Amino acid sequence: MRQIFKDAALDKQFRHQGYVVVPLLDDETVASLYKCFEDSQTPNIGGFHGTMYHADRDYRIRLDGIIKEALEPNVDRILNNYRPFLCNFMIKEPGEASSEMPLHQDWSFVQEPEEVSVHIWCPLVDVNHENGNLAVVPGSHHLSDTVRAFADDCPFREQFPLLRESYLRELPMKAGEAVLFDGRLVHSSPPNVTNRRRVIAQSIGIPKDSPIYHSWRVSPTEVEIYEVPEVFFFDYILHQAPQNVPLWSRIEYAPRQLTADEVSKLSEYMESSATLASA
Ligand SMILES: O=C(O)CCC(=O)C(=O)O
Ligand SMILES: [Fe+2]
């Protein structure tokens, strides 16, 4: 198993609990990214929104490039041979209960579990419970399936109330810090009830030599996995089957709901993550 993080202690912590919080961007880079966000006049379309869904393709590509340039050297400093792609600003508009992001897992982008995607979530303003910090379920990557197709049912869904009550950990952070999490980790964020926009820079980190995959459910029991170029996501239309990209494989996969008993294994990660974090 190759080391994902250059620092062995961080690697151990990431493998064990599925995420780490690290200083990622310096104040100057945070300020310049925030200015880029303000200057780009991202419209307030209410609730929660990301620049990757902006109607203008050139705008999406330009912002991806600017964020990527800021992230790349910092990702290189921390991760072994990883590159960020699909870079976005994610915004929670002020005072809107609709900006809550419910518990979910992100799509799979690499061939798991041999490869692991490291999802990068870096606030450009200080974040806390009131304005929508990220909340994660430590260890949930260990119980996760390795294919997460577009709009698939989440295997943790029936246990969401239990997760919220006993296993969800909020991560208040300073601007420029980042949570780097395993793509399989269950996460969510509360609504922004303050009077300021919450803005974060977000990206998906994958091994530099890894192809990018996108999974599409074709029947209740079958998923098609496409190998896609990075530009695929700039042209992507949600809820539409991938077009003009090669089919890499077709697999039998139907998500199965986890039981409360299975999910109770997560208590191990709640206890030990605090120890490892301070190790
Ligand atoms: O920005 C948020 O609050 C949630 C973002 C999220 O789910 C993600 O980055 O995968
Ligand atoms: Fe997510």
Side-chain angles (χ1 to χ4, degrees), residues 37-74:
F37 165 74
E38 280 194 322
D39 291 350
S40 72
Q41 300 189 347
T42 302
N44 178 347
I45 56 171
F48 173 84
H49 56 105
T51 49
M52 74 183 268
Y53 299 117
H54 193 283
D56 179 348
R57 182 177 191 269
D58 291 341
Y59 170 95
R60 299 199 296 267
I61 293 179
R62 189 168 62 82
L63 262 60
D64 170 84
I66 293 169
I67 300 168
K68 192 177 287 165
E69 199 180 314
L71 291 179
E72 249 160 8
N74 294 292

Short mmCIF file of all heavy atoms in Angstrom, two decimals, residues 37-74:
data_model
loop_
_atom_site.label_atom_id
_atom_site.label_comp_id
_atom_site.label_asym_id
_atom_site.label_seq_id
_atom_site.Cartn_x
_atom_site.Cartn_y
_atom_site.Cartn_z
N PHE A 37 -12.88 35.12 -6.35
CA PHE A 37 -14.29 34.74 -6.21
C PHE A 37 -15.18 35.99 -6.30
O PHE A 37 -16.16 36.01 -7.06
CB PHE A 37 -14.50 34.02 -4.86
CG PHE A 37 -15.93 33.93 -4.47
CD1 PHE A 37 -16.78 33.04 -5.11
CD2 PHE A 37 -16.45 34.76 -3.48
CE1 PHE A 37 -18.12 32.97 -4.75
CE2 PHE A 37 -17.78 34.69 -3.13
CZ PHE A 37 -18.63 33.79 -3.77
N GLU A 38 -14.79 37.05 -5.57
CA GLU A 38 -15.63 38.27 -5.56
C GLU A 38 -15.64 38.93 -6.93
O GLU A 38 -16.69 39.35 -7.43
CB GLU A 38 -15.09 39.25 -4.52
CG GLU A 38 -15.53 38.88 -3.13
CD GLU A 38 -15.31 40.01 -2.14
OE1 GLU A 38 -14.27 40.71 -2.26
OE2 GLU A 38 -16.14 40.19 -1.25
N ASP A 39 -14.45 38.98 -7.56
CA ASP A 39 -14.35 39.63 -8.87
C ASP A 39 -15.11 38.87 -9.95
O ASP A 39 -15.52 39.44 -10.96
CB ASP A 39 -12.88 39.75 -9.31
CG ASP A 39 -12.12 40.73 -8.44
OD1 ASP A 39 -12.77 41.44 -7.64
OD2 ASP A 39 -10.88 40.77 -8.54
N SER A 40 -15.27 37.57 -9.75
CA SER A 40 -15.92 36.77 -10.79
C SER A 40 -17.44 36.93 -10.74
O SER A 40 -18.14 36.41 -11.61
CB SER A 40 -15.54 35.30 -10.68
OG SER A 40 -16.17 34.72 -9.56
N GLN A 41 -17.90 37.65 -9.72
CA GLN A 41 -19.32 37.98 -9.62
C GLN A 41 -20.22 36.76 -9.75
O GLN A 41 -21.22 36.78 -10.48
CB GLN A 41 -19.70 39.03 -10.66
CG GLN A 41 -18.89 40.30 -10.46
CD GLN A 41 -19.39 41.43 -11.32
OE1 GLN A 41 -20.16 41.24 -12.24
NE2 GLN A 41 -18.95 42.64 -11.00
N THR A 42 -19.85 35.72 -9.03
CA THR A 42 -20.71 34.54 -8.98
C THR A 42 -22.10 34.97 -8.53
O THR A 42 -22.25 35.57 -7.46
CB THR A 42 -20.14 33.53 -7.95
OG1 THR A 42 -18.82 33.21 -8.36
CG2 THR A 42 -20.98 32.29 -7.88
N PRO A 43 -23.11 34.72 -9.32
CA PRO A 43 -24.44 35.20 -8.92
C PRO A 43 -24.95 34.48 -7.68
O PRO A 43 -24.59 33.32 -7.45
CB PRO A 43 -25.31 34.84 -10.14
CG PRO A 43 -24.58 33.76 -10.84
CD PRO A 43 -23.12 33.95 -10.57
N ASN A 44 -25.74 35.20 -6.90
CA ASN A 44 -26.36 34.57 -5.73
C ASN A 44 -27.61 33.84 -6.23
O ASN A 44 -28.64 34.44 -6.50
CB ASN A 44 -26.74 35.64 -4.70
CG ASN A 44 -27.44 35.03 -3.50
OD1 ASN A 44 -27.86 33.87 -3.54
ND2 ASN A 44 -27.58 35.81 -2.44
N ILE A 45 -27.47 32.51 -6.37
CA ILE A 45 -28.65 31.76 -6.84
C ILE A 45 -29.34 31.07 -5.66
O ILE A 45 -30.18 30.20 -5.84
CB ILE A 45 -28.29 30.76 -7.96
CG1 ILE A 45 -27.20 29.78 -7.49
CG2 ILE A 45 -27.87 31.46 -9.23
CD1 ILE A 45 -26.95 28.64 -8.48
N GLY A 46 -28.95 31.49 -4.44
CA GLY A 46 -29.65 31.03 -3.25
C GLY A 46 -29.16 29.70 -2.74
O GLY A 46 -28.61 28.89 -3.49
N GLY A 47 -29.32 29.49 -1.42
CA GLY A 47 -28.99 28.19 -0.82
C GLY A 47 -27.54 27.82 -0.98
O GLY A 47 -26.63 28.62 -0.75
N PHE A 48 -27.31 26.59 -1.41
CA PHE A 48 -25.97 26.05 -1.59
C PHE A 48 -25.70 25.92 -3.08
O PHE A 48 -26.53 25.39 -3.81
CB PHE A 48 -25.92 24.66 -0.92
CG PHE A 48 -24.64 23.93 -1.17
CD1 PHE A 48 -23.53 24.16 -0.38
CD2 PHE A 48 -24.55 22.99 -2.19
CE1 PHE A 48 -22.34 23.48 -0.61
CE2 PHE A 48 -23.37 22.31 -2.44
CZ PHE A 48 -22.26 22.56 -1.63
N HIS A 49 -24.57 26.44 -3.55
CA HIS A 49 -24.25 26.25 -4.97
C HIS A 49 -22.75 26.24 -5.19
O HIS A 49 -21.98 26.74 -4.37
CB HIS A 49 -24.93 27.31 -5.84
CG HIS A 49 -24.64 28.74 -5.47
ND1 HIS A 49 -23.79 29.52 -6.21
CD2 HIS A 49 -25.09 29.51 -4.45
CE1 HIS A 49 -23.74 30.74 -5.65
NE2 HIS A 49 -24.52 30.75 -4.59
N GLY A 50 -22.36 25.64 -6.31
CA GLY A 50 -20.94 25.54 -6.64
C GLY A 50 -20.68 26.12 -8.01
O GLY A 50 -21.56 26.07 -8.88
N THR A 51 -19.47 26.67 -8.20
CA THR A 51 -19.18 27.31 -9.49
C THR A 51 -19.13 26.30 -10.64
O THR A 51 -19.27 26.68 -11.80
CB THR A 51 -17.88 28.12 -9.42
OG1 THR A 51 -16.85 27.29 -8.85
CG2 THR A 51 -18.04 29.35 -8.56
N MET A 52 -18.96 24.98 -10.31
CA MET A 52 -18.91 24.01 -11.41
C MET A 52 -20.26 23.86 -12.11
O MET A 52 -20.36 23.28 -13.17
CB MET A 52 -18.40 22.65 -10.93
CG MET A 52 -19.39 21.86 -10.13
SD MET A 52 -18.69 20.30 -9.53
CE MET A 52 -19.15 19.17 -10.83
N TYR A 53 -21.32 24.38 -11.50
CA TYR A 53 -22.64 24.30 -12.14
C TYR A 53 -23.06 25.63 -12.77
O TYR A 53 -24.19 25.78 -13.21
CB TYR A 53 -23.70 23.83 -11.13
CG TYR A 53 -23.39 22.46 -10.59
CD1 TYR A 53 -23.13 22.25 -9.25
CD2 TYR A 53 -23.30 21.37 -11.47
CE1 TYR A 53 -22.81 20.99 -8.77
CE2 TYR A 53 -22.97 20.11 -11.00
CZ TYR A 53 -22.73 19.92 -9.65
OH TYR A 53 -22.41 18.66 -9.20
N HIS A 54 -22.14 26.60 -12.80
CA HIS A 54 -22.43 27.87 -13.44
C HIS A 54 -22.76 27.63 -14.92
O HIS A 54 -22.18 26.75 -15.56
CB HIS A 54 -21.20 28.79 -13.31
CG HIS A 54 -21.46 30.22 -13.64
ND1 HIS A 54 -21.58 30.66 -14.93
CD2 HIS A 54 -21.63 31.30 -12.85
CE1 HIS A 54 -21.81 31.96 -14.92
NE2 HIS A 54 -21.85 32.37 -13.66
N ALA A 55 -23.67 28.45 -15.46
CA ALA A 55 -24.15 28.21 -16.83
C ALA A 55 -23.05 28.41 -17.89
O ALA A 55 -23.10 27.83 -18.97
CB ALA A 55 -25.32 29.13 -17.13
N ASP A 56 -22.06 29.25 -17.58
CA ASP A 56 -21.06 29.61 -18.57
C ASP A 56 -19.85 28.66 -18.48
O ASP A 56 -19.11 28.67 -17.50
CB ASP A 56 -20.64 31.07 -18.28
CG ASP A 56 -19.58 31.58 -19.23
OD1 ASP A 56 -19.00 30.76 -19.97
OD2 ASP A 56 -19.34 32.80 -19.22
N ARG A 57 -19.64 27.88 -19.54
CA ARG A 57 -18.57 26.88 -19.55
C ARG A 57 -17.19 27.53 -19.39
O ARG A 57 -16.32 27.02 -18.68
CB ARG A 57 -18.64 26.10 -20.87
CG ARG A 57 -17.62 25.00 -21.01
CD ARG A 57 -17.86 24.26 -22.33
NE ARG A 57 -17.09 23.03 -22.42
CZ ARG A 57 -15.86 22.96 -22.93
NH1 ARG A 57 -15.27 24.04 -23.39
NH2 ARG A 57 -15.23 21.80 -22.98
N ASP A 58 -16.97 28.66 -20.09
CA ASP A 58 -15.67 29.33 -20.02
C ASP A 58 -15.38 29.78 -18.59
O ASP A 58 -14.24 29.72 -18.12
CB ASP A 58 -15.63 30.54 -20.96
CG ASP A 58 -15.65 30.10 -22.40
OD1 ASP A 58 -15.33 28.91 -22.66
OD2 ASP A 58 -16.01 30.92 -23.27
N TYR A 59 -16.41 30.26 -17.93
CA TYR A 59 -16.28 30.69 -16.53
C TYR A 59 -15.86 29.49 -15.66
O TYR A 59 -14.94 29.59 -14.85
CB TYR A 59 -17.62 31.26 -16.06
CG TYR A 59 -17.75 31.53 -14.59
CD1 TYR A 59 -17.49 32.80 -14.07
CD2 TYR A 59 -18.16 30.54 -13.71
CE1 TYR A 59 -17.63 33.05 -12.71
CE2 TYR A 59 -18.29 30.78 -12.35
CZ TYR A 59 -18.03 32.03 -11.86
OH TYR A 59 -18.16 32.28 -10.52
N ARG A 60 -16.51 28.36 -15.86
CA ARG A 60 -16.21 27.16 -15.05
C ARG A 60 -14.75 26.75 -15.26
O ARG A 60 -14.04 26.42 -14.32
CB ARG A 60 -17.11 25.99 -15.45
CG ARG A 60 -18.59 26.25 -15.26
CD ARG A 60 -19.38 24.94 -15.23
NE ARG A 60 -19.34 24.17 -16.46
CZ ARG A 60 -20.25 24.24 -17.44
NH1 ARG A 60 -21.29 25.06 -17.29
NH2 ARG A 60 -20.15 23.50 -18.53
N ILE A 61 -14.31 26.81 -16.52
CA ILE A 61 -12.94 26.38 -16.84
C ILE A 61 -11.92 27.37 -16.27
O ILE A 61 -10.90 26.99 -15.71
CB ILE A 61 -12.77 26.20 -18.36
CG1 ILE A 61 -13.64 25.02 -18.81
CG2 ILE A 61 -11.32 26.01 -18.74
CD1 ILE A 61 -13.61 24.74 -20.30
N ARG A 62 -12.25 28.66 -16.38
CA ARG A 62 -11.31 29.69 -15.89
C ARG A 62 -11.14 29.56 -14.37
O ARG A 62 -10.03 29.56 -13.86
CB ARG A 62 -11.85 31.08 -16.26
CG ARG A 62 -10.87 32.21 -15.99
CD ARG A 62 -11.34 33.51 -16.65
NE ARG A 62 -12.62 33.97 -16.13
CZ ARG A 62 -12.78 34.65 -15.01
NH1 ARG A 62 -11.72 34.96 -14.28
NH2 ARG A 62 -13.97 35.05 -14.61
N LEU A 63 -12.24 29.41 -13.65
CA LEU A 63 -12.14 29.31 -12.19
C LEU A 63 -11.45 28.02 -11.76
O LEU A 63 -10.65 28.02 -10.83
CB LEU A 63 -13.52 29.44 -11.54
CG LEU A 63 -13.78 30.87 -11.05
CD1 LEU A 63 -13.72 31.88 -12.17
CD2 LEU A 63 -15.08 30.97 -10.30
N ASP A 64 -11.73 26.94 -12.46
CA ASP A 64 -11.05 25.68 -12.17
C ASP A 64 -9.54 25.89 -12.27
O ASP A 64 -8.77 25.46 -11.40
CB ASP A 64 -11.51 24.60 -13.16
CG ASP A 64 -10.67 23.34 -13.08
OD1 ASP A 64 -10.95 22.49 -12.22
OD2 ASP A 64 -9.71 23.21 -13.88
N GLY A 65 -9.11 26.59 -13.33
CA GLY A 65 -7.68 26.81 -13.56
C GLY A 65 -7.04 27.64 -12.46
O GLY A 65 -5.93 27.33 -11.98
N ILE A 66 -7.73 28.69 -12.05
CA ILE A 66 -7.18 29.58 -11.01
C ILE A 66 -7.07 28.83 -9.67
O ILE A 66 -6.05 28.92 -8.97
CB ILE A 66 -8.06 30.85 -10.86
CG1 ILE A 66 -7.96 31.70 -12.14
CG2 ILE A 66 -7.67 31.66 -9.63
CD1 ILE A 66 -8.97 32.83 -12.23
N ILE A 67 -8.10 28.11 -9.33
CA ILE A 67 -8.08 27.38 -8.04
C ILE A 67 -7.01 26.28 -8.08
O ILE A 67 -6.25 26.09 -7.14
CB ILE A 67 -9.48 26.80 -7.72
CG1 ILE A 67 -10.52 27.91 -7.62
CG2 ILE A 67 -9.45 25.99 -6.42
CD1 ILE A 67 -11.97 27.44 -7.60
N LYS A 68 -6.94 25.61 -9.24
CA LYS A 68 -5.96 24.52 -9.38
C LYS A 68 -4.53 25.05 -9.20
O LYS A 68 -3.71 24.44 -8.51
CB LYS A 68 -6.12 23.89 -10.77
CG LYS A 68 -5.37 22.60 -10.92
CD LYS A 68 -5.63 22.00 -12.28
CE LYS A 68 -7.02 21.42 -12.39
NZ LYS A 68 -7.43 21.15 -13.76
N GLU A 69 -4.26 26.19 -9.79
CA GLU A 69 -2.91 26.76 -9.69
C GLU A 69 -2.56 27.06 -8.23
O GLU A 69 -1.42 26.87 -7.81
CB GLU A 69 -2.87 28.05 -10.52
CG GLU A 69 -1.48 28.49 -10.86
CD GLU A 69 -1.50 29.77 -11.69
OE1 GLU A 69 -2.30 29.84 -12.66
OE2 GLU A 69 -0.73 30.69 -11.36
N ALA A 70 -3.56 27.52 -7.47
CA ALA A 70 -3.31 27.82 -6.05
C ALA A 70 -3.14 26.52 -5.24
O ALA A 70 -2.32 26.46 -4.32
CB ALA A 70 -4.47 28.64 -5.48
N LEU A 71 -3.87 25.49 -5.60
CA LEU A 71 -3.83 24.25 -4.81
C LEU A 71 -2.61 23.39 -5.11
O LEU A 71 -2.03 22.78 -4.20
CB LEU A 71 -5.10 23.41 -5.06
CG LEU A 71 -6.42 23.95 -4.52
CD1 LEU A 71 -7.56 23.00 -4.88
CD2 LEU A 71 -6.38 24.14 -2.99
N GLU A 72 -2.23 23.35 -6.40
CA GLU A 72 -1.23 22.38 -6.85
C GLU A 72 0.04 22.31 -5.99
O GLU A 72 0.38 21.23 -5.48
CB GLU A 72 -0.87 22.60 -8.32
CG GLU A 72 -1.39 21.49 -9.19
CD GLU A 72 -1.49 21.88 -10.66
OE1 GLU A 72 -1.01 22.98 -11.04
OE2 GLU A 72 -2.05 21.08 -11.43
N PRO A 73 0.75 23.45 -5.80
CA PRO A 73 2.00 23.34 -5.04
C PRO A 73 1.77 22.91 -3.60
O PRO A 73 2.61 22.24 -2.99
CB PRO A 73 2.58 24.77 -5.09
CG PRO A 73 1.46 25.65 -5.54
CD PRO A 73 0.50 24.80 -6.28
N ASN A 74 0.60 23.26 -3.07
CA ASN A 74 0.31 22.91 -1.67
C ASN A 74 -0.08 21.44 -1.53
O ASN A 74 0.27 20.79 -0.55
CB ASN A 74 -0.78 23.84 -1.13
CG ASN A 74 -0.27 25.27 -1.05
OD1 ASN A 74 0.60 25.57 -0.25
ND2 ASN A 74 -0.76 26.13 -1.93
#
